[in-house]
Amino acid sequence: MSEPFAAHAGPVTVLLTPDGTVTACSDGAARLLGCPAPAAVGAKLADLVGHAAAGPLAGALKQAAAGRPWRGTLPLPGGEPLVACDPMAAGSGQTLVALTVAPPWADGVELLNEAGRRIGSTLDLHRTAAEVVGVAVPRFADAGAIYVLEALLADGRPVPPAGAGAGPGGDAAVVVRRLAIAFAEDDPRAWSREFPVNEVIVYPPGTSYARCVNTARMVEFGSDAIPDAIVHRTGPAMEGLLDHVSLLAVPLVARERVLGFAVFSRKRGRLPFTPADTALAGELAARAATCVDNACLYRREHRTATALQASLKPGRLTVPAGLEIADRYVPAGSDVGGDWFDVVPLPGERVAIVIGDSVGHGVTAAAAMGQLRIAAHTLAGCELPPAEVLTRLDTIAQSLDAAQFATCLCLVCDPATMRCELACAGHPPPLLALADGTARHFAVPHGLPLGVSDPAHPPEYEQLAGAVPDGATLAFYTDGLVESRMRNVDEGIARLASALVASRSPSLDETADGVLALLADQQGHDDIALLLVRAAGTA
């Protein structure tokens, strides 16, 4: 063969007899066969492409001659391209075989298409890394792993631009965490025990992996460099890895910053990585880096929002004399919302109860929640009436840096008489679970959510008076408990009313737990806040 098939640009078709004799060739076959097409006619294909392909080729031809198409790879010089053998009927009942050799990148394009479908299905960092190696192993490599810089994971700090961490010689030690690893072995679990996920490793200057990170360039190396690449490893793991003779360390670069690296390796007996393979590895790593970067950004924002939300929420509620209160907060499974509630003791043994929900999720919602909760606590503590509290909160919501809407309900109650005054800014109405085993809405005035109105035309919040009947429980909640994609708010409120009745107990805490258990299907989609209030000693 005059040139490796890796240099060939298009597919080649060769017509063969079942014993492998060439009868005709398509244009471009000269590069595959190593001679002009007319000269190849009558020769054995195995003699033209190398005897390493003789055995697999004979099996493929036999299957195709029997009328069953064959698809696979053949060990041709320069690579192992995809090959198709299809039976063809010839004159006099004779069967010929059409052997089509795809260009080297045909499988690479399909691999990248599969990567696009599979990688980044979620924003979970470990799952994203596992998806990368799942695409590459065993199709592209016999082993693969993803490593991310520990500084990026430990405290969420953005990593410096490529090369900024290297010393005067352009090299420095790197500290990384292994996020995923895969081996095309009979027992991959044994390898996983030797190279566990989440292990933190320090690679000294000069090692292949350190050079890959510090230079932001792919490093190709052989088994002689493995002892340096897996520092402090001995025993069976080392002996097994020495059979991996062709390795690639590929930087994961996103937004001009190196996040870590991917490792791909091939064992002895499989063709080493070719230039086409390294180009494919670079494309695969680039797509993986974008998904890893997105997952890291989400991880950092989620961590920030969670810490912010936790720091801004009230601690243990102060329960005034004459009342029993049970509160529950259930965060969404994958994101941080803006639900909050507060109980503010007032002079004269009265109490203000505020519950709200900032629209959205993440840092913005958590920050808005904190500002509105603190403002509501302060305003209610100044003994302002509920309607005035909401009016001033609306002004604050409109002044936040990011446009932020929120619902809110404010109630002032006298525990001695259980008489209340309340105002509402678009929040779901409280429910009353009565002593006779029924439940109904607690009447509230309608009002616009906070931050929705035009500053030039502020909303006018109405204030109503009411009373909690003897033995009744007043339930405040956020929409995460009553709204979902399966049902509307009205249906959800009706379910909550039924759950309150079914969970009625002398213990208000048991009632709260019972409600959440009965409405467990609501959990995980949005934050849930539940606050139950009743007069002490009336159960």
Side-chain angles (χ1 to χ4, degrees), residues 17-55:
T17 62
D19 67 354
T21 301
V22 178
T23 63
C25 307
S26 69
D27 293 339
R31 287 189 174 183
L32 171 64
L33 303 178
C35 63
V41 175
K44 295 287 188 181
L45 182 61
D47 295 335
L48 298 174
V49 300
H51 288 283

PDB file of all heavy atoms in Angstrom, residues 17-55:
ATOM      1  N   THR A  17     -14.890 -11.989  -5.155  1.00  0.00           N
ATOM      2  CA  THR A  17     -15.480 -13.326  -5.116  1.00  0.00           C
ATOM      3  C   THR A  17     -15.468 -13.796  -3.662  1.00  0.00           C
ATOM      4  O   THR A  17     -14.761 -13.217  -2.826  1.00  0.00           O
ATOM      5  CB  THR A  17     -14.679 -14.296  -5.995  1.00  0.00           C
ATOM      6  OG1 THR A  17     -13.348 -14.380  -5.466  1.00  0.00           O
ATOM      7  CG2 THR A  17     -14.634 -13.809  -7.445  1.00  0.00           C
ATOM      8  N   PRO A  18     -16.236 -14.828  -3.310  1.00  0.00           N
ATOM      9  CA  PRO A  18     -16.249 -15.287  -1.913  1.00  0.00           C
ATOM     10  C   PRO A  18     -14.884 -15.682  -1.374  1.00  0.00           C
ATOM     11  O   PRO A  18     -14.675 -15.668  -0.156  1.00  0.00           O
ATOM     12  CB  PRO A  18     -17.207 -16.484  -1.947  1.00  0.00           C
ATOM     13  CG  PRO A  18     -18.146 -16.176  -3.075  1.00  0.00           C
ATOM     14  CD  PRO A  18     -17.276 -15.516  -4.112  1.00  0.00           C
ATOM     15  N   ASP A  19     -13.921 -16.030  -2.253  1.00  0.00           N
ATOM     16  CA  ASP A  19     -12.593 -16.392  -1.745  1.00  0.00           C
ATOM     17  C   ASP A  19     -11.659 -15.189  -1.634  1.00  0.00           C
ATOM     18  O   ASP A  19     -10.485 -15.332  -1.316  1.00  0.00           O
ATOM     19  CB  ASP A  19     -11.964 -17.467  -2.632  1.00  0.00           C
ATOM     20  CG  ASP A  19     -11.644 -16.953  -4.047  1.00  0.00           C
ATOM     21  OD1 ASP A  19     -12.024 -15.794  -4.365  1.00  0.00           O
ATOM     22  OD2 ASP A  19     -11.031 -17.708  -4.826  1.00  0.00           O
ATOM     23  N   GLY A  20     -12.202 -13.951  -1.901  1.00  0.00           N
ATOM     24  CA  GLY A  20     -11.412 -12.742  -1.706  1.00  0.00           C
ATOM     25  C   GLY A  20     -10.683 -12.248  -2.927  1.00  0.00           C
ATOM     26  O   GLY A  20      -9.829 -11.354  -2.799  1.00  0.00           O
ATOM     27  N   THR A  21     -10.995 -12.773  -4.121  1.00  0.00           N
ATOM     28  CA  THR A  21     -10.347 -12.313  -5.347  1.00  0.00           C
ATOM     29  C   THR A  21     -11.020 -11.040  -5.850  1.00  0.00           C
ATOM     30  O   THR A  21     -12.254 -10.962  -5.923  1.00  0.00           O
ATOM     31  CB  THR A  21     -10.413 -13.391  -6.437  1.00  0.00           C
ATOM     32  OG1 THR A  21      -9.758 -14.571  -5.967  1.00  0.00           O
ATOM     33  CG2 THR A  21      -9.736 -12.912  -7.718  1.00  0.00           C
ATOM     34  N   VAL A  22     -10.229 -10.021  -6.165  1.00  0.00           N
ATOM     35  CA  VAL A  22     -10.756  -8.748  -6.637  1.00  0.00           C
ATOM     36  C   VAL A  22     -11.243  -8.905  -8.075  1.00  0.00           C
ATOM     37  O   VAL A  22     -10.502  -9.370  -8.952  1.00  0.00           O
ATOM     38  CB  VAL A  22      -9.679  -7.650  -6.571  1.00  0.00           C
ATOM     39  CG1 VAL A  22     -10.226  -6.325  -7.107  1.00  0.00           C
ATOM     40  CG2 VAL A  22      -9.185  -7.479  -5.138  1.00  0.00           C
ATOM     41  N   THR A  23     -12.504  -8.476  -8.325  1.00  0.00           N
ATOM     42  CA  THR A  23     -13.043  -8.516  -9.686  1.00  0.00           C
ATOM     43  C   THR A  23     -13.271  -7.122 -10.253  1.00  0.00           C
ATOM     44  O   THR A  23     -13.343  -6.946 -11.461  1.00  0.00           O
ATOM     45  CB  THR A  23     -14.371  -9.294  -9.720  1.00  0.00           C
ATOM     46  OG1 THR A  23     -15.327  -8.604  -8.907  1.00  0.00           O
ATOM     47  CG2 THR A  23     -14.176 -10.714  -9.207  1.00  0.00           C
ATOM     48  N   ALA A  24     -13.424  -6.112  -9.380  1.00  0.00           N
ATOM     49  CA  ALA A  24     -13.607  -4.735  -9.838  1.00  0.00           C
ATOM     50  C   ALA A  24     -13.366  -3.808  -8.662  1.00  0.00           C
ATOM     51  O   ALA A  24     -13.479  -4.206  -7.489  1.00  0.00           O
ATOM     52  CB  ALA A  24     -15.004  -4.529 -10.424  1.00  0.00           C
ATOM     53  N   CYS A  25     -13.041  -2.516  -8.974  1.00  0.00           N
ATOM     54  CA  CYS A  25     -12.764  -1.528  -7.926  1.00  0.00           C
ATOM     55  C   CYS A  25     -13.411  -0.202  -8.300  1.00  0.00           C
ATOM     56  O   CYS A  25     -13.560   0.122  -9.479  1.00  0.00           O
ATOM     57  CB  CYS A  25     -11.258  -1.290  -7.768  1.00  0.00           C
ATOM     58  SG  CYS A  25     -10.278  -2.763  -7.516  1.00  0.00           S
ATOM     59  N   SER A  26     -13.760   0.558  -7.287  1.00  0.00           N
ATOM     60  CA  SER A  26     -14.279   1.905  -7.514  1.00  0.00           C
ATOM     61  C   SER A  26     -13.131   2.889  -7.643  1.00  0.00           C
ATOM     62  O   SER A  26     -11.969   2.549  -7.398  1.00  0.00           O
ATOM     63  CB  SER A  26     -15.186   2.324  -6.359  1.00  0.00           C
ATOM     64  OG  SER A  26     -14.406   2.519  -5.182  1.00  0.00           O
ATOM     65  N   ASP A  27     -13.467   4.112  -8.052  1.00  0.00           N
ATOM     66  CA  ASP A  27     -12.449   5.152  -8.108  1.00  0.00           C
ATOM     67  C   ASP A  27     -11.848   5.374  -6.725  1.00  0.00           C
ATOM     68  O   ASP A  27     -12.536   5.314  -5.711  1.00  0.00           O
ATOM     69  CB  ASP A  27     -13.065   6.464  -8.602  1.00  0.00           C
ATOM     70  CG  ASP A  27     -13.514   6.376 -10.051  1.00  0.00           C
ATOM     71  OD1 ASP A  27     -13.000   5.494 -10.762  1.00  0.00           O
ATOM     72  OD2 ASP A  27     -14.390   7.181 -10.438  1.00  0.00           O
ATOM     73  N   GLY A  28     -10.570   5.637  -6.676  1.00  0.00           N
ATOM     74  CA  GLY A  28      -9.903   5.889  -5.404  1.00  0.00           C
ATOM     75  C   GLY A  28      -9.384   4.646  -4.724  1.00  0.00           C
ATOM     76  O   GLY A  28      -8.796   4.720  -3.641  1.00  0.00           O
ATOM     77  N   ALA A  29      -9.588   3.472  -5.334  1.00  0.00           N
ATOM     78  CA  ALA A  29      -9.146   2.238  -4.694  1.00  0.00           C
ATOM     79  C   ALA A  29      -7.632   2.097  -4.682  1.00  0.00           C
ATOM     80  O   ALA A  29      -7.088   1.288  -3.922  1.00  0.00           O
ATOM     81  CB  ALA A  29      -9.763   1.037  -5.404  1.00  0.00           C
ATOM     82  N   ALA A  30      -6.938   2.860  -5.540  1.00  0.00           N
ATOM     83  CA  ALA A  30      -5.482   2.713  -5.633  1.00  0.00           C
ATOM     84  C   ALA A  30      -4.806   2.927  -4.279  1.00  0.00           C
ATOM     85  O   ALA A  30      -3.863   2.220  -3.922  1.00  0.00           O
ATOM     86  CB  ALA A  30      -4.922   3.681  -6.678  1.00  0.00           C
ATOM     87  N   ARG A  31      -5.267   3.907  -3.519  1.00  0.00           N
ATOM     88  CA  ARG A  31      -4.622   4.172  -2.227  1.00  0.00           C
ATOM     89  C   ARG A  31      -4.867   3.038  -1.240  1.00  0.00           C
ATOM     90  O   ARG A  31      -4.012   2.753  -0.410  1.00  0.00           O
ATOM     91  CB  ARG A  31      -5.147   5.487  -1.657  1.00  0.00           C
ATOM     92  CG  ARG A  31      -4.620   6.712  -2.386  1.00  0.00           C
ATOM     93  CD  ARG A  31      -4.989   7.979  -1.657  1.00  0.00           C
ATOM     94  NE  ARG A  31      -4.366   9.137  -2.266  1.00  0.00           N
ATOM     95  CZ  ARG A  31      -4.476  10.374  -1.796  1.00  0.00           C
ATOM     96  NH1 ARG A  31      -5.179  10.594  -0.697  1.00  0.00           N
ATOM     97  NH2 ARG A  31      -3.887  11.376  -2.400  1.00  0.00           N
ATOM     98  N   LEU A  32      -6.036   2.441  -1.318  1.00  0.00           N
ATOM     99  CA  LEU A  32      -6.319   1.324  -0.416  1.00  0.00           C
ATOM    100  C   LEU A  32      -5.528   0.089  -0.820  1.00  0.00           C
ATOM    101  O   LEU A  32      -4.969  -0.616   0.027  1.00  0.00           O
ATOM    102  CB  LEU A  32      -7.819   1.018  -0.420  1.00  0.00           C
ATOM    103  CG  LEU A  32      -8.253  -0.261   0.310  1.00  0.00           C
ATOM    104  CD1 LEU A  32      -7.952  -0.139   1.803  1.00  0.00           C
ATOM    105  CD2 LEU A  32      -9.728  -0.537   0.083  1.00  0.00           C
ATOM    106  N   LEU A  33      -5.461  -0.177  -2.138  1.00  0.00           N
ATOM    107  CA  LEU A  33      -4.873  -1.425  -2.611  1.00  0.00           C
ATOM    108  C   LEU A  33      -3.374  -1.327  -2.861  1.00  0.00           C
ATOM    109  O   LEU A  33      -2.703  -2.350  -3.013  1.00  0.00           O
ATOM    110  CB  LEU A  33      -5.581  -1.855  -3.901  1.00  0.00           C
ATOM    111  CG  LEU A  33      -7.108  -2.016  -3.777  1.00  0.00           C
ATOM    112  CD1 LEU A  33      -7.702  -2.400  -5.107  1.00  0.00           C
ATOM    113  CD2 LEU A  33      -7.455  -3.044  -2.712  1.00  0.00           C
ATOM    114  N   GLY A  34      -2.856  -0.091  -2.950  1.00  0.00           N
ATOM    115  CA  GLY A  34      -1.413   0.069  -3.150  1.00  0.00           C
ATOM    116  C   GLY A  34      -0.978  -0.133  -4.584  1.00  0.00           C
ATOM    117  O   GLY A  34       0.229  -0.264  -4.844  1.00  0.00           O
ATOM    118  N   CYS A  35      -1.924  -0.175  -5.518  1.00  0.00           N
ATOM    119  CA  CYS A  35      -1.596  -0.333  -6.930  1.00  0.00           C
ATOM    120  C   CYS A  35      -2.759   0.180  -7.747  1.00  0.00           C
ATOM    121  O   CYS A  35      -3.866   0.333  -7.227  1.00  0.00           O
ATOM    122  CB  CYS A  35      -1.291  -1.795  -7.267  1.00  0.00           C
ATOM    123  SG  CYS A  35      -2.708  -2.900  -7.021  1.00  0.00           S
ATOM    124  N   PRO A  36      -2.566   0.471  -9.034  1.00  0.00           N
ATOM    125  CA  PRO A  36      -3.686   0.925  -9.869  1.00  0.00           C
ATOM    126  C   PRO A  36      -4.807  -0.112  -9.878  1.00  0.00           C
ATOM    127  O   PRO A  36      -4.569  -1.321  -9.774  1.00  0.00           O
ATOM    128  CB  PRO A  36      -3.053   1.086 -11.256  1.00  0.00           C
ATOM    129  CG  PRO A  36      -1.596   1.269 -10.993  1.00  0.00           C
ATOM    130  CD  PRO A  36      -1.290   0.447  -9.768  1.00  0.00           C
ATOM    131  N   ALA A  37      -6.028   0.368 -10.012  1.00  0.00           N
ATOM    132  CA  ALA A  37      -7.188  -0.521  -9.958  1.00  0.00           C
ATOM    133  C   ALA A  37      -7.113  -1.659 -10.978  1.00  0.00           C
ATOM    134  O   ALA A  37      -7.395  -2.815 -10.639  1.00  0.00           O
ATOM    135  CB  ALA A  37      -8.467   0.298 -10.136  1.00  0.00           C
ATOM    136  N   PRO A  38      -6.725  -1.400 -12.244  1.00  0.00           N
ATOM    137  CA  PRO A  38      -6.665  -2.527 -13.197  1.00  0.00           C
ATOM    138  C   PRO A  38      -5.690  -3.617 -12.764  1.00  0.00           C
ATOM    139  O   PRO A  38      -5.929  -4.810 -12.991  1.00  0.00           O
ATOM    140  CB  PRO A  38      -6.207  -1.851 -14.496  1.00  0.00           C
ATOM    141  CG  PRO A  38      -6.650  -0.423 -14.358  1.00  0.00           C
ATOM    142  CD  PRO A  38      -6.461  -0.118 -12.895  1.00  0.00           C
ATOM    143  N   ALA A  39      -4.577  -3.210 -12.146  1.00  0.00           N
ATOM    144  CA  ALA A  39      -3.584  -4.198 -11.720  1.00  0.00           C
ATOM    145  C   ALA A  39      -4.078  -5.035 -10.553  1.00  0.00           C
ATOM    146  O   ALA A  39      -3.576  -6.142 -10.311  1.00  0.00           O
ATOM    147  CB  ALA A  39      -2.282  -3.494 -11.347  1.00  0.00           C
ATOM    148  N   ALA A  40      -5.055  -4.499  -9.778  1.00  0.00           N
ATOM    149  CA  ALA A  40      -5.556  -5.237  -8.614  1.00  0.00           C
ATOM    150  C   ALA A  40      -6.528  -6.332  -9.001  1.00  0.00           C
ATOM    151  O   ALA A  40      -6.719  -7.294  -8.244  1.00  0.00           O
ATOM    152  CB  ALA A  40      -6.241  -4.259  -7.652  1.00  0.00           C
ATOM    153  N   VAL A  41      -7.170  -6.199 -10.167  1.00  0.00           N
ATOM    154  CA  VAL A  41      -8.157  -7.200 -10.582  1.00  0.00           C
ATOM    155  C   VAL A  41      -7.467  -8.549 -10.766  1.00  0.00           C
ATOM    156  O   VAL A  41      -6.442  -8.667 -11.441  1.00  0.00           O
ATOM    157  CB  VAL A  41      -8.855  -6.762 -11.889  1.00  0.00           C
ATOM    158  CG1 VAL A  41      -9.791  -7.859 -12.387  1.00  0.00           C
ATOM    159  CG2 VAL A  41      -9.628  -5.471 -11.655  1.00  0.00           C
ATOM    160  N   GLY A  42      -8.039  -9.563 -10.121  1.00  0.00           N
ATOM    161  CA  GLY A  42      -7.487 -10.911 -10.179  1.00  0.00           C
ATOM    162  C   GLY A  42      -6.597 -11.243  -9.007  1.00  0.00           C
ATOM    163  O   GLY A  42      -6.243 -12.418  -8.808  1.00  0.00           O
ATOM    164  N   ALA A  43      -6.209 -10.243  -8.207  1.00  0.00           N
ATOM    165  CA  ALA A  43      -5.357 -10.498  -7.040  1.00  0.00           C
ATOM    166  C   ALA A  43      -6.206 -10.766  -5.810  1.00  0.00           C
ATOM    167  O   ALA A  43      -7.389 -10.422  -5.748  1.00  0.00           O
ATOM    168  CB  ALA A  43      -4.436  -9.308  -6.793  1.00  0.00           C
ATOM    169  N   LYS A  44      -5.604 -11.401  -4.837  1.00  0.00           N
ATOM    170  CA  LYS A  44      -6.269 -11.616  -3.554  1.00  0.00           C
ATOM    171  C   LYS A  44      -6.193 -10.311  -2.740  1.00  0.00           C
ATOM    172  O   LYS A  44      -5.122  -9.708  -2.624  1.00  0.00           O
ATOM    173  CB  LYS A  44      -5.589 -12.735  -2.769  1.00  0.00           C
ATOM    174  CG  LYS A  44      -5.695 -14.107  -3.418  1.00  0.00           C
ATOM    175  CD  LYS A  44      -7.101 -14.676  -3.293  1.00  0.00           C
ATOM    176  CE  LYS A  44      -7.132 -16.130  -3.787  1.00  0.00           C
ATOM    177  NZ  LYS A  44      -8.493 -16.700  -3.700  1.00  0.00           N
ATOM    178  N   LEU A  45      -7.338  -9.914  -2.184  1.00  0.00           N
ATOM    179  CA  LEU A  45      -7.368  -8.661  -1.424  1.00  0.00           C
ATOM    180  C   LEU A  45      -6.434  -8.723  -0.226  1.00  0.00           C
ATOM    181  O   LEU A  45      -5.767  -7.739   0.111  1.00  0.00           O
ATOM    182  CB  LEU A  45      -8.796  -8.361  -0.965  1.00  0.00           C
ATOM    183  CG  LEU A  45      -8.973  -7.047  -0.189  1.00  0.00           C
ATOM    184  CD1 LEU A  45      -8.571  -5.850  -1.038  1.00  0.00           C
ATOM    185  CD2 LEU A  45     -10.411  -6.887   0.293  1.00  0.00           C
ATOM    186  N   ALA A  46      -6.353  -9.890   0.430  1.00  0.00           N
ATOM    187  CA  ALA A  46      -5.486 -10.024   1.606  1.00  0.00           C
ATOM    188  C   ALA A  46      -4.032  -9.784   1.244  1.00  0.00           C
ATOM    189  O   ALA A  46      -3.250  -9.268   2.056  1.00  0.00           O
ATOM    190  CB  ALA A  46      -5.655 -11.394   2.244  1.00  0.00           C
ATOM    191  N   ASP A  47      -3.638 -10.159   0.020  1.00  0.00           N
ATOM    192  CA  ASP A  47      -2.260  -9.926  -0.401  1.00  0.00           C
ATOM    193  C   ASP A  47      -1.987  -8.439  -0.611  1.00  0.00           C
ATOM    194  O   ASP A  47      -0.847  -7.988  -0.476  1.00  0.00           O
ATOM    195  CB  ASP A  47      -1.974 -10.689  -1.709  1.00  0.00           C
ATOM    196  CG  ASP A  47      -2.042 -12.194  -1.513  1.00  0.00           C
ATOM    197  OD1 ASP A  47      -1.828 -12.646  -0.364  1.00  0.00           O
ATOM    198  OD2 ASP A  47      -2.318 -12.906  -2.486  1.00  0.00           O
ATOM    199  N   LEU A  48      -3.051  -7.694  -0.943  1.00  0.00           N
ATOM    200  CA  LEU A  48      -2.879  -6.273  -1.236  1.00  0.00           C
ATOM    201  C   LEU A  48      -2.901  -5.397   0.018  1.00  0.00           C
ATOM    202  O   LEU A  48      -2.191  -4.394   0.087  1.00  0.00           O
ATOM    203  CB  LEU A  48      -3.968  -5.803  -2.206  1.00  0.00           C
ATOM    204  CG  LEU A  48      -3.974  -6.488  -3.591  1.00  0.00           C
ATOM    205  CD1 LEU A  48      -5.194  -6.039  -4.386  1.00  0.00           C
ATOM    206  CD2 LEU A  48      -2.694  -6.177  -4.354  1.00  0.00           C
ATOM    207  N   VAL A  49      -3.726  -5.769   0.982  1.00  0.00           N
ATOM    208  CA  VAL A  49      -3.890  -4.903   2.159  1.00  0.00           C
ATOM    209  C   VAL A  49      -3.123  -5.399   3.375  1.00  0.00           C
ATOM    210  O   VAL A  49      -3.120  -4.739   4.412  1.00  0.00           O
ATOM    211  CB  VAL A  49      -5.385  -4.754   2.525  1.00  0.00           C
ATOM    212  CG1 VAL A  49      -6.160  -4.134   1.386  1.00  0.00           C
ATOM    213  CG2 VAL A  49      -5.986  -6.103   2.926  1.00  0.00           C
ATOM    214  N   GLY A  50      -2.488  -6.559   3.287  1.00  0.00           N
ATOM    215  CA  GLY A  50      -1.723  -7.056   4.426  1.00  0.00           C
ATOM    216  C   GLY A  50      -2.389  -8.273   5.050  1.00  0.00           C
ATOM    217  O   GLY A  50      -3.616  -8.352   5.168  1.00  0.00           O
ATOM    218  N   HIS A  51      -1.575  -9.233   5.437  1.00  0.00           N
ATOM    219  CA  HIS A  51      -2.109 -10.498   5.938  1.00  0.00           C
ATOM    220  C   HIS A  51      -2.719 -10.384   7.330  1.00  0.00           C
ATOM    221  O   HIS A  51      -3.381 -11.310   7.800  1.00  0.00           O
ATOM    222  CB  HIS A  51      -1.004 -11.570   5.911  1.00  0.00           C
ATOM    223  CG  HIS A  51      -0.674 -12.014   4.512  1.00  0.00           C
ATOM    224  ND1 HIS A  51      -1.469 -12.872   3.798  1.00  0.00           N
ATOM    225  CD2 HIS A  51       0.366 -11.673   3.697  1.00  0.00           C
ATOM    226  CE1 HIS A  51      -0.936 -13.083   2.603  1.00  0.00           C
ATOM    227  NE2 HIS A  51       0.185 -12.357   2.510  1.00  0.00           N
ATOM    228  N   ALA A  52      -2.516  -9.239   8.025  1.00  0.00           N
ATOM    229  CA  ALA A  52      -3.177  -9.077   9.328  1.00  0.00           C
ATOM    230  C   ALA A  52      -4.684  -9.077   9.177  1.00  0.00           C
ATOM    231  O   ALA A  52      -5.430  -9.429  10.108  1.00  0.00           O
ATOM    232  CB  ALA A  52      -2.719  -7.771   9.982  1.00  0.00           C
ATOM    233  N   ALA A  53      -5.140  -8.698   7.965  1.00  0.00           N
ATOM    234  CA  ALA A  53      -6.587  -8.646   7.736  1.00  0.00           C
ATOM    235  C   ALA A  53      -7.127  -9.955   7.176  1.00  0.00           C
ATOM    236  O   ALA A  53      -8.351 -10.091   7.006  1.00  0.00           O
ATOM    237  CB  ALA A  53      -6.917  -7.504   6.781  1.00  0.00           C
ATOM    238  N   ALA A  54      -6.259 -10.921   6.884  1.00  0.00           N
ATOM    239  CA  ALA A  54      -6.694 -12.133   6.188  1.00  0.00           C
ATOM    240  C   ALA A  54      -7.762 -12.901   6.964  1.00  0.00           C
ATOM    241  O   ALA A  54      -8.801 -13.291   6.399  1.00  0.00           O
ATOM    242  CB  ALA A  54      -5.480 -13.025   5.906  1.00  0.00           C
ATOM    243  N   GLY A  55      -7.499 -13.158   8.236  1.00  0.00           N
ATOM    244  CA  GLY A  55      -8.450 -13.942   9.019  1.00  0.00           C
ATOM    245  C   GLY A  55      -9.810 -13.271   9.149  1.00  0.00           C
ATOM    246  O   GLY A  55     -10.848 -13.868   8.796  1.00  0.00           O
TER     247      GLY A  55
END
